[in-house]
Amino acid sequence: MVQRVAIIGAGAGGLASIKCCLDEGLEPTCFERSEDIGGLWRYTDSTDSGRVSVYRSVITNTSKEMSCFSDFPCPEDFPCYLPHSLLLEYFRMYARHFNLLRHIRFKTTALSVRKHPDFTTSGQWEVVTETDGVQELHVFDAVMVCTGHYQEPYLPLAFFPGIDSRFKGRYLHSQEYKDVEAFRGKRVLVVGIGNTGGDLSVELSHVAAKVFLSARSNTWVFSRVSDHGFPCDMVNTTRFNHFLDWLLPSALTNRIRFRKFNSWFNHANYGLASTKSSNFKMIINEELPFCLLSGTVVLKPKVKEFAESSAIFEDGTTEENIDVVLFATGYNFSFPFLDESVRNLIDDNRSLYKRIFPPQLEKPTLAIIGLVQLTGSVMVGSEMQARWVTGVFAGWNKLPPTSKMMADVLKKKPPVNRNPSERENLKMSFIGYTDEIASCAGVKPSVLRLLLTDPQLALTIFFGPCTPYQYRLVGRGKWSGAREAILTQWQRTLKPLRTRVVDDSSNGSSSQRWMCLLALSTTLMSGFFLFSKYLRPRWSP
């Protein structure tokens, strides 16, 4: 029986894992190599330690209601989208509230994690740590690795001939970027159009002489501010929309989605994306379209090669006098502390059962938390993983036989490997994946059952945003405040905006009710209109 659990990393996933261990009566010990909690969300000016952290201006892409821990809502006076400083403060509040800090050993590095000699029968692990130069050997019944996937910068210089031989300017990975000062007055080329590449291009455009953004894939851009000014993820990430995605053909849902994106601005006119492409990514950026429109950012195709001071692109064009090349090309994950025999089992998260457990191990006492890409908050997915994993460790949840886990992995693993710059295409549905793990843990809510017992809550869950509180309504870890948190989620969303109150009698006291049903009305009208439209032959002038 598992009792003592080692947790590596005190970021969002590590904190959730500590709390879930305590909920199950386990004894967690978390090893954090830095002096504080927060992981990559704890901003530091220095990059000397090799620790990955966010840049100074970063703001979350998912709203507070869709990103919080499932039994600990964000304060109502926090803004909808959090700067890194407020998100870190929220982590501190969570750690204090559940008394998690006493289980964390700071400035302690996990040097190695290897199987105990009797692992086949005990499932135990030998963990070697180092604190202030002193090494220590521990034996744990289970290990939860919570280091995430932002670990080693992916810098594919081999794909850019001349960058390290002919090019005389400076090049760096976005991990080294902290603020704009070093780029003032420079001509900058940003390589990669993910969320980071888009954000940095916009930020640099305010001080750089010129910014060029190189993109090799079709990219759809959308805003965090959705219809009627509500947070985009709260409007779109609903069980009703998830049901429509399952019900309708993917070609039709993509056309509806593309039409929605193009209603903001025509992506083909900006050189970003075509509705005819089946291979595409989506990024969140409110300012990029205006930067392209104003010329402060210039979109370019894939780089072919570099000369001494210029970049030559695949379309034959050249941009001269490039001072700095900034690679926003993503990260590789690595687990250097894991024994090689274990590390070799993990090609990527697709070689793990449910993206968590290495299925080949004789005992399921090693779990990888947070190594997943979702269309919503990874924090929420990581917490759900931790709840299921600790339930397995405590004996409440059971895993299938190894043969069935291996068959499931092979069925879901694609035949070709992709590099980190293509990880957007590997994102899984936030609701689909979280529901899958919640079902394994026995905490997925039943909308049909609630419809019979609590119709108001059932309708809010189905048509409203799929907030994390939904997974605290039933099962182990049930939270008495979950229902109230769901029914008041829009109040907490609007509260920080009420800094200047205006008289709008048209809203009246029923405003909260129609906001909860906004997803229903919007989606029904647009969905059925577009469905009928695309059943007719398409006409264009």
Side-chain angles (χ1 to χ4, degrees):
M1 178 66 68
V2 169
Q3 190 63 37
R4 301 183 66 240
V5 181
I7 297 170
I8 301 175
L15 294 176
S17 296
I18 298 171
K19 199 261 184 183
C20 291
C21 281
L22 296 174
D23 288 346
E24 294 293 352
L26 306 177
E27 300 173 11
T29 301
C30 179
F31 301 107
E32 169 55 45
R33 66 175 179 171
S34 72
E35 68 278 6
D36 203 354
I37 63 172
L40 67 90
W41 286 101
R42 185 171 63 84
Y43 170 80
T44 55
D45 290 314
S46 173
T47 59
D48 296 340
S49 65
R51 190 181 75 85
V52 176
S53 75
V54 295
Y55 40 94
R56 189 189 302 274
S57 62
V58 78
I59 295 175
T60 59
N61 282 337
T62 52
S63 62
K64 66 177 183 179
E65 291 297 311
M66 300 293 288
S67 307
C68 63
F69 296 111
S70 57
D71 55 356
F72 193 74
C74 272
E76 64 176 8
D77 58 339
F78 274 29
C80 291
Y81 293 98
L82 304 179
H84 59 79
S85 58
L86 280 182
L87 184 58
L88 182 59
E89 176 57 28
Y90 171 68
F91 290 160
R92 297 195 197 285
M93 295 166 62
Y94 180 76
R96 288 194 298 267
H97 182 78
F98 293 108
N99 200 18
L100 306 181
L101 296 180
R102 64 190 178 95
H103 299 281
I104 305 174
R105 293 182 55 175
F106 293 107
K107 297 184 179 180
T108 301
T109 302
L111 297 181
S112 72
V113 176
R114 60 178 180 269
K115 295 178 180 178
H116 194 273
D118 65 354
F119 178 83
T120 55
T121 55
S122 70
Q124 290 183 324
W125 299 86
E126 294 182 343
V127 179
V128 178
T129 62
E130 182 176 81
T131 308
D132 296 328
V134 179
Q135 293 188 10
E136 187 177 357
L137 173 64
H138 318 261
V139 176
F140 286 96
D141 300 315
V143 176
M144 300 175 74
V145 178
C146 305
T147 52
H149 51 255
Y150 296 104
Q151 298 170 34
E152 291 186 355
Y154 176 66
L155 197 58
L157 300 183
F159 293 97
F160 299 92
I163 185 66
D164 55 356
S165 58
R166 296 190 297 270
F167 184 63
K168 302 301 182 183
R170 178 191 177 200
Y171 69 85
L172 69 158
H173 189 272
S174 58
Q175 182 223 0
E176 301 178 60
Y177 178 90
K178 294 300 178 181
D179 56 40
V180 300
E181 291 308 314
F183 302 87
R184 192 174 295 276
K186 306 289 187 181
R187 288 171 61 85
V188 183
L189 170 61
V190 178
V191 177
I193 194 175
N195 284 314
T196 299
D199 284 350
L200 298 189
S201 297
V202 167
E203 184 163 297
L204 291 171
S205 71
H206 299 305
V207 300
K210 198 73 172 179
V211 176
F212 303 96
L213 176 57
S214 172
R216 69 176 189 173
S217 60
N218 280 274
T219 303
W220 295 94
V221 183
F222 62 100
S223 170
R224 278 168 281 215
V225 184
S226 187
D227 299 334
H228 306 284
F230 295 119
C232 178
D233 54 355
M234 293 188 72
V235 172
N236 294 316
T237 308
T238 69
R239 293 187 177 278
F240 177 70
N241 286 344
H242 181 66
F243 172 73
L244 287 183
D245 285 340
W246 171 82
L247 179 67
L248 301 177
S250 59
L252 178 59
T253 57
N254 278 341
R255 293 181 72 178
I256 294 173
R257 189 175 290 117
F258 295 161
R259 184 177 179 87
K260 176 68 174 177
F261 292 155
N262 275 334
S263 68
W264 183 23
F265 68 94
N266 189 306
H267 284 62
N269 288 344
Y270 286 65
L272 283 163
S274 166
T275 57
K276 298 179 180 179
S277 174
S278 58
N279 184 24
F280 61 90
K281 67 169 66 172
M282 295 182 288
I283 67 171
I284 299 174
N285 200 301
E286 295 78 30
E287 298 180 65
L288 183 59
F290 178 73
C291 288
L292 295 172
L293 199 60
S294 63
T296 55
V297 175
V298 176
L299 193 65
K300 301 293 293 185
K302 181 181 177 182
V303 176
K304 181 181 179 181
E305 61 179 321
F306 287 93
E308 286 190 1
S309 61
S310 61
I312 299 95
F313 298 90
E314 283 195 334
D315 62 354
T317 60
T318 301
E319 294 297 342
E320 303 285 350
N321 302 317
I322 300 296
D323 298 303
V324 184
V325 179
L326 181 58
F327 286 94
T329 45
Y331 292 82
N332 285 318
F333 71 89
S334 66
F335 307 112
F337 47 83
L338 286 181
D339 184 75
E340 185 176 2
S341 64
V342 179
R343 193 167 62 241
N344 289 340
L345 302 177
I346 310 172
D347 295 330
D348 54 30
N349 69 2
R350 295 162 295 176
S351 57
L352 302 172
Y353 180 64
K354 304 297 184 185
R355 269 60 172 184
I356 302 171
F357 290 101
Q360 301 93 331
L361 293 178
E362 298 92 334
K363 298 289 183 179
T365 54
L366 174 67
I368 312 297
I369 303 297
L371 190 67
V372 64
Q373 288 281 309
L374 302 176
T375 56
S377 171
V378 175
M379 285 171 46
V380 177
S382 297
E383 184 196 23
M384 182 54 64
Q385 289 178 330
R387 291 178 66 188
W388 179 43
V389 166
T390 52
V392 171
F393 290 167
W396 296 106
N397 304 130
K398 303 295 182 183
L399 294 181
T402 298
S403 58
K404 289 189 176 181
M405 291 193 289
M406 287 296 299
D408 183 79
V409 167
L410 293 174
K411 180 176 66 175
K412 294 180 179 179
K413 189 171 182 179
V416 293
N417 293 322
R418 307 187 184 193
N419 63 50
S421 65
E422 296 173 303
R423 71 168 78 236
E424 293 293 322
N425 297 324
L426 299 176
K427 279 190 174 182
M428 295 180 291
S429 162
F430 170 77
I431 296 180
Y433 180 76
T434 311
D435 271 2
E436 180 181 1
I437 304 304
S439 294
C440 294
V443 298
K444 179 186 173 184
S446 170
V447 177
L448 291 178
R449 186 176 292 115
L450 282 172
L451 195 60
L452 299 176
T453 59
D454 193 339
Q456 180 189 10
L457 182 61
L459 292 174
T460 302
I461 285 177
F462 188 67
F463 293 115
C466 185
T467 45
Y469 325 118
Q470 295 188 11
Y471 300 103
R472 290 285 179 177
L473 290 168
V474 296
R476 291 185 63 78
K478 179 180 177 180
W479 175 43
S480 60
R483 183 181 188 277
E484 179 67 16
I486 293 169
L487 297 180
T488 57
Q489 56 201 4
W490 284 110
Q491 295 176 23
R492 287 188 301 279
T493 300
L494 295 180
K495 177 64 163 59
L497 299 176
R498 302 303 194 197
T499 54
R500 178 176 179 267
V501 180
V502 295
D503 181 23
D504 188 4
S505 57
S506 62
N507 282 336
S509 60
S510 62
S511 59
Q512 297 300 321
R513 187 173 302 170
W514 67 258
M515 280 191 299
C516 291
L517 298 177
L518 175 66
L520 171 62
S521 59
T522 302
T523 310
L524 280 176
M525 287 188 293
S526 60
F528 285 111
F529 171 77
L530 290 170
F531 187 85
S532 61
K533 176 180 177 64
Y534 288 117
L535 286 177
R536 298 195 302 268
R538 186 176 179 184
W539 178 87
S540 58

